[in-house]
């Protein structure tokens, strides 16, 4: 990783913890020699992780209880330290006070990791204070140790954004730990090569805060909600922010800002609070002095018992379960696991407390992994251990999970509701991650606009990089360890069928949302946008239990026999990025095949049309899809889409959109060689011969261009009309255009609705201006319709020559581009039709079947329509050639985009 650095050092590592262990391992991998590890004594018979790693490698390990006595260095300790002959002291995390004669002893001195952007938050608990003060940036500093408290010169610093609901654990696990380990190695390498800076710390902006203790962590209620939230999350999990409820100290954990209407709940009096809290089905809602709300997930009482805050009024109602013989065996297996971890405890009693017996967060992970090995169907989270720290309580919790008594609470959806189209539509507007609708991590939103009048429909959560990481982690967990990965194929198909049924039940609501968010004419949205989406999920639901490998005869190594067979396996976490022209249908085309194959997904809808995707998320949860299988992230393509395409845990990207963006995705995906399928731009040629059925060709030709306002990936971008029928064809097209009704897309008689968004309308108008400037004849349209909204007249250009911009580039709008060709010049028109970088679709109208088949063979496009157009079906593969991309949606071939083939050979 740091191959540019050449010199190596002898290092003394002074400190402790898993962080120290990782720094130690990485420094050794980098080629530096760790000549001694100085760490804390064993606690309750458990060695520190740094000591364990060093002892395993045979590195000298020293475990001094302290380095000084009565203000002076302990001679034997210092002598033992000096005996290792280090060039540099590295202190990744150290809770002991190290004397200056040790700090200054090596020729390069000592460097220390500190989890704040110095000089801010000097002292202990720096991460906590970063959150308590509501800092927008967190980070760490590696500095040269001096005789002050975190005042030495800076070697390097790194920073990150602080999310609205980030906890200490979030910051530590996402940034401070992984990036801190890398930075410690980089710092040592810089010192080894003589390139390490010493930048004096400024005193301006310096702060010092001490270790927060329980007695100082009481909540002061006369503050805004954001300050309450910062205080609670800044003390989570140590020492814990607390208040008094019913004469008892109660500690709050797991807070988040709640930006919604006040939920229903039971009032709970809190000492010092001007307004009672509300115990709701999602937790305890508390109020700041500004009237805004904070949601608290968990409560801990003075006896150490922790409960979900939503269970406050029912905490004592749970009666102990009587265990079956099988459950008693499971309990004894878990007791043995506890005993293996708590080796200092003679006997694991029902009253044994996991943490009071000496366990730490590291042991939580170990315990859960060991239980998982014994009970593969049991899904436990770290939080489960904190909620049931005593052995008897833990066993009761495990048994309830095994019996299925810990049923998921009802999905909570915050809606924007509108009475429109003779119905009430309920639209979710938050990110959907791991089975929950939540605000974006940083609280950012964007407006989605109704193109029919330019009004704002609602503000929608704008996913951040942290949200991408959360969604991918949820999808990975669901794939690798969740119920979805263990589900049999027919059960998977049953869920897809159920989802299709729910979509059909809500088809009018979905079509209405699609219409107001994308501008689609309601009748088209009902039939195509929604109708084909339902068909797609039903089609792929039927494929779930029909995905098969094959047996393959191979040469036998006699006298042995061999069997070789292939397995079709899901890939893993898939990122799906969809466009704005058919929001729900594009979701269905990719997601249905992805899910049928057994993958999990993170989907990013187009920023201008997020609403039907979020409604789909709600329906998927109601259909029973396990948490984490489907995640929806509205937001910026440049931020969310880019991070998904380069994310190391995403194994496949399916994208529909522009060719330049597709190229960028290919570059990003190349970083870890993930599988990619792309459906990109088009300039689809439609050839109309003079022996066609002219009225049908006119009708179909108009549909080929104006269907869905021209916002159609396979739209006929260029029509070639044989010379002898050219003028009549154009005349008939213009006559039909004049009959089209342009207007409100919810009006059942409307033929032509608004373009999807303002920027696209402006692009189309510029496209038409370019056509006129280059000499094409504007026969009809080319202007914005004089009414509110983003309406454009259906447009016709003739006399379009091959070199012109509008002959080569896609409009993606209601613009018919017509060129004539000489009668009988079949090969000539074929050459012109293929003279494009794109190859998505094409079409031909002729009564001569031999000519039609010859044309279809020669056209360089993924789809060829003969005497029809826009005739797609869920069973027929769809995809392009050349710069129109590769890979297929729909049909059996789409499944292969989301599967991998494994060959297995057995000798017997």
């Amino acid at each position: 990783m740091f191959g540019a650095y050449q010199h190596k050092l002898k290092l003394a590592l002074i400190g402790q913890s898993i962080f120290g262990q990782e720094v130690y391992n990485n420094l050794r991998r980098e080629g530096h020699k760790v000549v001694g590890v100085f760490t804390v004594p064993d606690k309750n018979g458990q060695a520190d992780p740094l000591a364990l790693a060093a002892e395993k490698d045979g590195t000298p390990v020293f475990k001094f209880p302290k380095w000084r006595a009565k203000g002076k260095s302990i001679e034997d300790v210092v002598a033992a330290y000096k005996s290792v002959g280090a060039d540099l002291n590295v202190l990744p995390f150290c809770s002991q006070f190290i004397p200056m004669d040790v700090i200054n002893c090596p020729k390069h001195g000592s460097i220390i990791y500190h989890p704040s952007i110095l000089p801010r938050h000097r002292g202990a608990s720096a991460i906590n204070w970063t959150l308590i003060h509501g800092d927008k940036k967190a980070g760490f500093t590696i500095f040269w140790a001096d005789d002050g408290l975190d005042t030495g010169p800076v070697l390097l610093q790194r920073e990150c954004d602080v999310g609205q609901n980030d906890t200490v654990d979030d910051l530590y696990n996402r940034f401070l730990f992984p990036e801190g380990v890398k930075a410690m190695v980089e710092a040592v390498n810089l010192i080894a090569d003589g390139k390490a800076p010493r930048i004096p710390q400024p005193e301006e902006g310096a702060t010092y805060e001490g270790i927060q203790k329980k007695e100082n962590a009481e909540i002061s209620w006369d503050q805004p909600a954001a300050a309450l939230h910062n205080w609670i999350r800044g003390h989570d999990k140590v020492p814990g922010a607390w208040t008094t409820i019913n004469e008892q100290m109660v500690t709050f954990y797991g807070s988040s800002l709640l930006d919604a209407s006040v939920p229903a709940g039971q009032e709970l009096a809190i000492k010092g609070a001007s307004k009672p809290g509300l115990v709701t089905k999602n937790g305890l809602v508390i109020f700041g002095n500004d009237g805004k709300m904070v949601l608290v997930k968990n409560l801990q009482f003075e006896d150490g018992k922790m409960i979900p805050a939503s269970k406050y009024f029912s905490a004592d109602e749970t009666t102990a379960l009587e265990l079956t013989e099988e459950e008693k065996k499971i309990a004894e297996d878990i007791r043995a696991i506890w005993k293996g971890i708590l080796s200092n405890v003679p006997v694991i009693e029902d009253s044994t407390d996991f943490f009071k017996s000496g366990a730490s967060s590291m042991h939580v992970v170990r315990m859960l992994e060991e239980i998982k090995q014994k009970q593969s169907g049991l899904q436990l989270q770290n939080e489960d251990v904190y909620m049931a720290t005593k052995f008897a309580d833990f066993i009761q919790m495990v048994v309830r999970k095994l019996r299925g008594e810990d049923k998921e609470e009802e999905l909570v959806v915050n809606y924007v509701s509108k009475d429109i189209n003779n119905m009430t539509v309920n639209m979710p507007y938050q990110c959907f991650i791991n089975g929950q609708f939540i605000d974006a991590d940083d609280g950012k939103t964007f407006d989605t606009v109704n193109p029919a009048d330019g009004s704002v429909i609602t503000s929608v959560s704008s996913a951040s990089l942290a949200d991408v990481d959360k969604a991918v982690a949820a999808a990975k967990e669901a794939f690798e360890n969740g119920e979805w990965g263990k589900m049999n194929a027919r059960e998977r198909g049953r869920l897809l069928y159920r989802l299709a049924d729910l979509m059909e039940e809500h088809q009018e609501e979905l079509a209405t949302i699609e219409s107001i968010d994308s501008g689609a004419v309601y009748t088209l949205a009902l039939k195509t946008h929604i109708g084909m989406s339902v068909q797609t999920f039903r089609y792929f639901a039927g494929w779930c239990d029909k995905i098969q490998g094959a047996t393959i005869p191979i040469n036998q190594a006699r006298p042995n026999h061999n069997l070789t067979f292939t397995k079709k396996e899901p890939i893993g976490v898939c990122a799906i990025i969809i466009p704005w022209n058919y929001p729900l249908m594009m979701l269905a085309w990719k997601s249905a095949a992805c899910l049928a194959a057994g993958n999990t997904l993170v989907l990013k809808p187009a920023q201008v049309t997020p609403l039907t995707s979020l409604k789909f998320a709600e329906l998927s949860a109601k259909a029973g899809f396990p948490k984490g299988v489907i995640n929806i992230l509205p937001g910026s393509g440049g931020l969310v889409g880019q991070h998904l395409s380069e994310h190391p845990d995403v194994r496949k990207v399916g994208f529909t959109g522009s060719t330049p963006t597709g190229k960028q995705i290919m570059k990003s995906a190349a970083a870890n060689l993930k599988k990619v399928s792309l459906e990109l731009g088009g300039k689809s040629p439609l050839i109309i011969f003079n022996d066609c059925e002219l009225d049908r060709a006119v009708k179909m030709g108009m549909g080929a261009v104006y269907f869905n306002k021209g916002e159609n990936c396979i739209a006929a971008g260029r029509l070639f009309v044989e010379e002898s029928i050219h003028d009549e064809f154009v005349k008939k097209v213009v006559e039909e255009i004049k009959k089209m009704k342009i207007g409100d897309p919810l009006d059942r008689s409307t033929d032509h609705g608004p373009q999807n968004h303002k920027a696209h309308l402006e692009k189309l108008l510029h496209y038409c201006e370019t056509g006129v400037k280059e000499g094409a004849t504007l026969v009809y349209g080319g202007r914005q319709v004089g009414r509110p909204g983003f309406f454009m007249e259906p447009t016709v250009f003739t006399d379009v020559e091959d070199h012109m911009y509008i002959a080569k580039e896609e409009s993606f709008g209601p613009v018919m581009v017509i060129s004539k060709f000489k009668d009988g010049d079949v090969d000539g028109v074929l050459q012109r039709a293929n003279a494009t970088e794109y190859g998505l679709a094409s079409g031909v109208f002729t009564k001569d079947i031999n000519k039609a088949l010859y044309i279809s063979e020669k056209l360089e496009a993924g789809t060829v329509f003969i005497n029809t157009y826009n005739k797609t079906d869920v069973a027929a593969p769809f995809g392009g050639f050349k710069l129109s991309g590769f890979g297929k949606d729909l049909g059996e071939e789409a499944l292969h985009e989301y599967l991998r083939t494994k060959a297995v050979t057995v000798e017997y």
Side-chain angles (χ1 to χ4, degrees), residues 422-453:
N422 299 316
M423 68 184 79
T424 299
V425 294
N426 296 310
M427 297 172 284
Y429 56 86
Q430 296 166 292
C431 301
F432 186 71
I433 300 174
N434 202 26
Q436 293 182 307
F437 283 103
I438 58 173
D439 290 333
D441 185 79
D442 57 10
K444 291 183 179 178
T445 62
F446 62 89
D447 290 339
T448 188
V449 172
N450 184 342
D453 58 13

Side-chain angles (χ1 to χ4, degrees), residues 121-380:
H121 305 310
R122 290 171 176 164
S125 306
I127 314 175
N128 306 72
W129 287 108
T130 298
L131 294 176
I132 291 168
H133 283 283
D135 293 358
K136 300 301 182 185
K137 296 284 184 182
F140 58 81
T141 304
I142 297 171
F143 67 96
W144 299 93
D146 64 4
D147 59 359
L149 183 60
D150 304 329
T151 56
V154 172
L155 196 160
L156 61 79
Q157 288 183 321
R158 300 283 186 270
E159 65 177 38
C160 68
D161 292 332
V162 177
Q164 176 177 279
N165 293 318
D166 272 344
T167 63
V168 171
D169 284 349
D170 290 334
L171 291 176
Y172 187 69
N173 294 328
R174 185 177 75 237
F175 185 80
L176 299 175
F177 183 105
E179 295 304 317
V181 171
K182 294 177 189 176
M184 287 298 282
V185 177
E186 181 181 354
V188 171
N189 286 333
L190 287 168
I191 294 168
D193 280 3
K195 299 177 181 177
R198 291 175 180 262
I199 305 168
Q201 289 190 37
E203 282 307 307
E204 183 179 351
T207 63
Y208 170 80
E209 297 95 4
I211 297 175
Q212 274 297 84
K213 297 181 180 180
K214 194 73 175 182
E215 58 265 29
N216 301 326
E218 184 177 6
I219 299 168
S220 173
W221 287 101
D222 190 18
Q223 300 183 82
L228 294 176
H229 167 56
N230 289 336
W231 185 260
I232 296 167
R233 65 172 175 157
H235 290 84
D236 190 341
K237 298 207 170 24
V238 178
W242 62 274
T243 190
T244 301
I245 300 176
N246 290 330
E247 307 299 323
Q248 184 179 183
M249 177 191 287
V250 179
T251 304
F252 289 3
Y253 296 107
S255 74
S256 59
L257 290 171
L258 184 60
D259 184 15
S261 56
V262 177
Q266 187 172 349
E267 288 192 352
L268 177 64
I270 302 172
K271 183 179 179 180
S274 59
K275 187 174 181 179
L278 287 175
V279 176
T280 74
K281 60 185 177 181
N282 292 318
L284 173 63
V285 174
I286 57 177
F287 297 87
N289 61 12
D290 55 358
K292 295 183 178 179
M293 296 176 288
V294 176
L295 180 67
V296 177
K297 283 289 189 183
N298 300 313
L299 305 175
Q300 187 175 41
F301 300 105
E302 290 178 356
D303 62 359
K305 182 180 180 181
M306 186 181 287
I307 64 164
S310 59
K311 305 291 186 185
Y312 180 85
F313 288 111
S314 57
D316 296 324
E317 294 175 7
T318 305
T319 56
L321 299 173
E322 190 71 31
L323 272 57
T324 65
E325 290 303 314
E326 181 61 30
E327 289 165 348
K328 288 177 182 177
K329 290 178 183 178
I330 292 170
E332 289 309 307
D333 285 342
I334 295 175
R335 193 186 301 271
I337 292 171
W338 277 47
K339 180 67 179 114
I341 295 171
L342 304 175
S343 57
N344 55 303
V345 179
V347 179
I348 303 298
E349 307 280 1
D350 283 355
S351 60
T352 300
D353 188 288
F354 192 67
F355 295 106
K356 290 180 180 178
S357 299
S360 66
S361 58
M362 175 185 70
H363 299 113
V364 172
V365 176
R366 174 182 162 183
M367 190 240 290
L368 295 185
E369 289 300 315
E370 288 192 43
I371 292 174
K372 192 185 296 181
Q373 286 181 334
K374 292 273 188 181
Q375 295 291 325
S376 59
L378 180 61
Q379 296 299 314
L380 296 174

Side-chain angles (χ1 to χ4, degrees), residues 512-744:
T512 302
I513 297 171
E514 190 97 330
S515 185
I516 64 173
D517 203 24
S518 75
V521 171
Y522 175 76
T523 50
L524 176 65
L526 194 62
K527 177 182 182 296
T528 301
H529 289 233
I530 313 307
M532 193 172 188
S533 299
V534 173
Q535 292 174 27
T536 303
F537 274 97
R538 286 204 174 120
Y539 173 81
F540 283 108
W543 265 109
C544 289
D545 60 356
K546 300 171 187 67
I547 299 169
Q548 300 176 353
T551 55
I552 303 171
I554 65 170
N555 288 336
Q556 304 289 347
R558 295 178 181 176
N560 297 322
H561 297 278
N562 298 96
L563 169 65
T564 295
F565 61 91
T566 59
K567 296 175 65 182
K568 295 290 187 180
E569 298 180 338
I571 296 170
V573 180
C574 299
I576 293 175
I577 305 170
I578 58 172
W580 42 259
N581 56 328
Y582 296 102
L584 189 65
M585 195 171 80
M586 291 296 98
L587 175 153
W589 280 22
K590 296 188 186 298
S591 299
C594 173
L595 294 168
N599 301 286
T600 57
L601 64 87
V602 181
L603 181 138
K604 195 205 86 66
Q607 188 167 3
V608 291
T609 53
L611 295 181
T612 42
S613 293
L614 294 171
K615 189 68 180 180
F616 167 84
E618 178 194 350
L619 297 179
S620 73
K622 290 180 177 178
F625 277 80
K627 286 183 176 182
V629 175
I630 295 171
N631 304 272
I632 309 291
L633 298 179
S636 162
L639 184 75
V640 177
Q642 175 69 23
H643 195 39
L644 282 172
S645 64
E646 63 192 13
H647 199 292
D649 289 332
V650 171
R651 300 311 312 148
K652 157 73 195 253
V653 178
F655 171 74
T656 295
S658 72
T659 297
T661 304
K663 290 179 178 179
Q664 180 58 46
I665 286 173
M666 283 282 289
K667 290 178 182 177
S668 300
N672 57 2
L673 297 179
K674 56 172 58 76
K675 192 173 183 179
V676 176
S677 57
L678 304 171
E679 195 255 280
L680 307 176
K683 187 67 174 174
S684 301
L686 175 58
I687 304 171
I688 300 175
F689 287 96
N690 60 13
D691 62 350
C692 71
E693 187 180 326
L694 186 58
D695 287 343
R696 178 177 177 82
V698 168
K699 180 181 178 182
M700 290 286 184
M702 290 182 66
V705 175
Y706 302 127
F707 188 81
N708 200 45
K709 312 125 22 173
E711 295 167 354
N712 187 18
C713 50
I714 57 171
R718 192 174 183 195
L719 276 64
F720 295 93
V721 182
E722 203 159 11
E723 192 169 24
S724 57
I725 61 167
H726 173 274
D727 292 350
E728 186 178 0
F729 178 88
V730 173
K731 178 184 175 184
K732 286 178 175 286
V733 165
V734 172
E735 288 173 353
E736 292 302 315
I737 289 175
K738 290 177 179 178
K739 299 175 185 177
M740 292 171 67
K741 180 178 178 180
I742 301 172
D744 180 2

